[in-house]
Amino acid sequence: MQLLGLHVVVLLKCFLVVFGQQYHTHHDVADLHWKPATATWYGSPDGDGSNGGACGYGSLVDVKPLRARVGAVSPILFKNGEGCGACYKVRCLDKSICSERAVTIIVTDECPGGYCSNGNTHFDLSGAAFGHMAISGENGQLRNRGEIPVIYRRTPCKYPGKNIAFHVNEGSTDYWLSLLVEFEDGDGDVGSMHIREAGGTEWLEMNHLWGANWCVIRGPLKGPLSVKLTTLSTGRTLSARDVIPINWVPKATYTSRLNFFH
């Protein structure tokens, strides 16, 4: 019986080595525990807070699917830009003016000073997102409160009908390629990125440039290019084969056929 048990264990280990990538489990990014923080708002009362913000999403912050449900976060959550794209539920605690529902926001910006300094956990939300926490008709009154106590928790990002896209940043060449990641559901954040040239076998590591932007200095790069990204929070990996075409151009966006929830 002992020999049979040992044989089963060896077979199981071999199975896990061969098929480990398929069966490897990850922790869910969702956090069921609410944590204390503070919140303010910035920009126009019903607007998107800023023109894109420190993550580099630009005009995407005010159109579907982001639609102004965005915010700047303190450095402890911004993580030098690697926290860009992460999603949080934020809820106000004052029942006299706030509803029970939480607003889901996407990290698109950083607030480095003021309420966000000294290691504080703070959300500087767009006016639209901040007002969304109020009971009906009290949006303006809630915004007049200024800083308020809130609770928050991490939640998966969801972009129904959207696949991960890669925007080729202005200034990119065959020798210096910079990509912005868009519409990554699930974890939302990026911990590492690699590209692979046409016909190649080597994944070239990209460097984190700023915000949600990554770059590689190598060349001349031969397209089409495949892109592999690994999330920061749970280490999930996704590879988009030949997503950047051979005739790519700067300022163009190329959409993959993949996303983590599809």
Side-chain angles (χ1 to χ4, degrees):
M1 290 295 293
Q2 287 182 340
L3 183 61
L4 177 61
L6 179 61
H7 183 66
V8 171
V9 170
V10 170
L11 284 177
L12 179 60
K13 285 185 176 180
C14 290
F15 179 83
L16 291 175
V17 167
V18 175
F19 297 102
Q21 189 170 358
Q22 292 183 358
Y23 288 88
H24 183 67
T25 57
H26 298 276
H27 295 294
D28 195 330
V29 72
D31 188 352
L32 301 179
H33 303 287
W34 294 92
K35 302 172 185 177
T38 53
T40 50
W41 65 279
Y42 71 124
S44 60
D46 295 305
D48 54 18
S50 67
N51 184 22
C55 291
Y57 297 123
S59 60
L60 291 177
V61 299
D62 199 29
V63 297
K64 287 184 178 182
L66 277 66
R67 203 67 177 276
R69 298 290 166 78
V70 300
V73 292
S74 52
I76 196 170
L77 297 179
F78 190 69
K79 302 173 184 176
N80 293 318
E82 291 188 347
C84 287
C87 295
Y88 293 90
K89 288 186 178 295
V90 182
R91 183 157 65 89
C92 172
L93 297 174
D94 187 345
K95 295 182 179 179
S96 68
I97 197 170
C98 295
S99 70
E100 291 292 322
R101 70 177 182 268
V103 61
T104 299
I105 67 102
I106 303 155
V107 175
T108 62
D109 204 353
E110 180 185 24
C111 58
Y115 296 116
C116 296
S117 59
N118 300 319
N120 295 326
T121 303
H122 185 83
F123 293 85
D124 199 13
L125 305 179
S126 70
F130 195 88
H132 186 74
M133 294 186 292
I135 58 178
S136 181
E138 296 295 334
N139 307 58
Q141 291 299 318
L142 178 59
R143 284 190 287 264
N144 288 340
R145 294 285 182 91
E147 183 192 21
I148 61 170
V150 296
I151 53 176
Y152 77 99
R153 63 181 175 89
R154 187 75 181 272
T155 190
C157 298
K158 297 178 181 179
Y159 299 109
K162 290 282 188 180
N163 289 331
I164 293 177
F166 301 94
H167 178 78
V168 180
N169 289 318
E170 185 176 5
S172 291
T173 70
D174 290 339
Y175 293 86
W176 184 85
L177 176 66
S178 175
L179 301 177
L180 169 73
V181 184
E182 301 174 352
F183 309 129
E184 178 204 338
D185 62 20
D187 293 2
D189 53 23
V190 180
S192 67
M193 277 182 57
H194 296 75
I195 65 167
R196 186 175 64 193
E197 296 180 83
T201 58
E202 179 187 3
W203 284 102
L204 308 175
E205 184 175 5
M206 302 189 77
N207 297 313
H208 183 219
L209 193 58
W210 60 276
N213 297 278
W214 296 72
C215 75
V216 63
I217 302 174
R218 181 79 172 250
L221 295 170
K222 298 177 182 179
L225 302 172
S226 301
V227 182
K228 178 173 68 175
L229 64 84
T230 302
T231 67
L232 178 68
S233 297
T234 64
R236 288 179 170 88
T237 297
L238 180 148
S239 300
R241 183 177 179 181
D242 298 339
V243 66
I244 310 295
I246 191 170
N247 58 341
W248 64 266
V249 293
K251 300 195 288 186
T253 300
Y254 301 102
T255 303
S256 73
R257 297 185 294 271
L258 307 167
N259 217 325
F260 285 103
F261 282 167
H262 294 184

